[in-house]
Every structure is written in structure tokens, then in C-alpha cells.
Amino acid sequence: GAGVSQSPSNKVTEKGKDVELRCDPISGHTALYWYRQSLGQGLEFLIYFQGNSAPDKSGLPSDRFSAERTGGSVSTLTIQRTQQEDSAVYLCASSFGQALSYEQYFGPGTRLTVT
Amino acid sequence: QQQVKQSPQSLIVQKGGISIINCAYENTAFDYFPWYQQFPGKGPALLIAIRPDVSEKKEGRFTISFNKSAKQFSLHIMDSQPGDSATYFCAATIYNFNKFYFGSGTKLNVKP
């Protein structure tokens, strides 16, 4: 029973290194979101993909962050030259379409620790 | 600028009691207000949601109360159970818009 899956579940990296986080959405879901959850904070919107439309990147905190979605399915969030303030849980969510019409299903997240 | 403010940060309730979590927003264009429940190690899951055309929505032991004039909404958990112990997030968005704004979360602990 495939929910949203994310890998790795945990990632420890050294400051300055690049990391890639992967999200496998639920089959058939056309919308995909990335969020960042810092300790004691809510979910911070990063980026949104809808079908073949240009992604909404308005939440990306800096140009070190980028994301792509291949074939309308799997998505990769890349953080270049990681900084300690990038340490957080990165959550991916998918839905059938516009978020308001359909529930967002979240993955378990990737916990990123930058040392 | 935080679009949605949530309180309290943490809450301890005895089993059988009522848990109340409050959220306030500034943007009057918001017109969809969901609540999410998150257990440790899991992603958030939609619990209940409300549109501003109603003042209350109830699903089982969970109720959202909405006050449009005060720009506030709250989650009430009746007959709280230890299994309700989780972190709860409120959120707000504009219809047909991509971006959800989340509160900072409330960690609920229901004591047996």
C-alpha cells in the first residue's frame, strides 16, 4: 500500500557538502510539495510541482536549494554547500491535484543534520 | 512575518479532559483552515478542516471552532485519550492557491 516515501530517512553531512533528498509520491498524484520543518517550528513551504506546469519555487530560502521532478513522478531536493542552519526535517507531500480540492499526503520525512 | 500564530506550544491534559489549541491569522483572504496531526517519526496527516462559511465543524471527538471577525480558529479534542498525544498543526491557505501557511505546532500530552 504505497504511501509517500522519502529517502534517506536520516542524513548526516559535513558543512559545505551537497545533499540530495528523494521523494516518491503516491502513484497518480500530480501535485508534489516540499516543506522544511525545523525544531519547534511549523512547516515551511519550499516548492510546489503541479503536472507539467512550471514549479512554484517561491519558498526556496536561497539559491543553494533546488528541486526537480522527473517524469511527473519522483522528485529530488538538492541542497548545495550545506550550512548548519539547513539542519531540519524535510517533508514531501503529494495530492491528486490542487491542494484545496484534494488532501495532501505526507511522507515520513528526511532528517538532515549538518555538522 | 508569521502568517499563522498557534498557541500553546505545549499542552498537558488528563485523560477524558478537553484539549484546546488556538490559532490566529492576519490575511483575510485565507478561506481554508485545516488541522494536521503528527506522531513522532511520521509526516503530518490531515485531521479536520473548515471553510469560513461555517462557524463550527465536528468530526467525532474533534471540533473546529471558527471566528471570522476575530480571525481565530481553534481545535477542541473532547474526551482526550493517551492515543491523541501528538503534535498538532493548524494551517491556512487561499482557495485554489498552492501555498499553505502552517502554525508552529502544539505538542499535546494526554496523561492516563
Side-chain angles (χ1 to χ4, degrees):
Chain A
V4 177
S5 61
Q6 292 186 244
S7 61
S9 55
N10 281 283
K11 176 72 176 178
V12 181
T13 190
E14 292 180 354
K15 177 182 173 181
K17 296 285 180 73
D18 298 351
V19 295
E20 285 189 353
L21 312 180
R22 177 187 169 105
C23 173
D24 284 87
I26 293 173
S27 178
H29 281 191
T30 60
L32 187 147
Y33 297 75
W34 282 99
Y35 293 91
R36 180 168 68 177
Q37 184 175 22
S38 301
L39 187 64
Q41 301 296 315
L43 279 69
E44 175 189 6
F45 168 83
L46 296 178
I47 189 169
Y48 165 75
F49 295 89
Q50 172 58 54
N52 295 321
S53 301
D56 178 351
K57 304 180 182 180
S58 60
L60 295 178
S62 78
D63 58 8
R64 296 187 295 104
F65 288 72
S66 62
E68 63 177 20
R69 188 177 185 192
T70 55
S73 181
V74 172
S75 178
T76 302
L77 177 68
T78 302
I79 309 173
Q80 296 179 309
R81 305 180 303 282
T82 51
Q83 303 296 313
Q84 289 187 327
E85 60 262 29
D86 299 333
S87 297
V89 175
Y90 289 82
L91 289 161
C92 173
S94 70
S95 71
F96 279 111
Q98 288 293 341
L100 191 61
S101 302
Y102 301 100
E103 176 181 348
Q104 291 184 61
Y105 294 82
F106 282 85
T110 294
R111 182 175 296 277
L112 175 66
T113 303
V114 181
T115 61
Chain B
Q1 180 187 0
Q2 197 172 6
Q3 296 271 0
V4 179
K5 295 181 180 179
Q6 183 172 347
S7 63
Q9 188 173 8
S10 62
L11 182 61
I12 299 174
V13 173
Q14 292 294 323
K15 179 183 175 181
I18 302 174
S19 303
I20 301 175
I21 304 170
N22 301 299
C23 284
Y25 63 97
E26 287 299 322
N27 189 344
T28 56
F30 287 150
D31 60 2
Y32 179 69
F33 304 89
W35 284 89
Y36 288 83
Q37 181 186 55
Q38 185 179 28
F39 293 105
K42 304 289 186 182
L46 180 64
L47 188 62
I48 186 173
I50 196 168
R51 297 289 302 273
D53 51 348
V54 296
S55 61
E56 185 176 281
K57 183 174 181 180
K58 184 176 181 179
E59 291 184 2
R61 297 184 294 107
F62 300 90
T63 300
I64 299 178
S65 297
F66 185 80
N67 186 330
K68 188 173 182 178
S69 60
K71 294 186 289 185
Q72 295 176 348
F73 58 110
S74 60
L75 176 70
H76 296 235
I77 306 174
M78 312 300 287
D79 186 27
S80 298
Q81 300 296 313
D84 298 330
S85 297
T87 299
Y88 293 82
F89 292 96
C90 62
T93 190
I94 301 168
Y95 180 77
N96 214 30
F97 191 60
N98 305 331
K99 195 177 298 184
F100 280 66
Y101 296 91
F102 284 82
S104 54
T106 296
K107 188 171 184 179
L108 172 65
N109 184 7
V110 181
K111 298 278 194 185

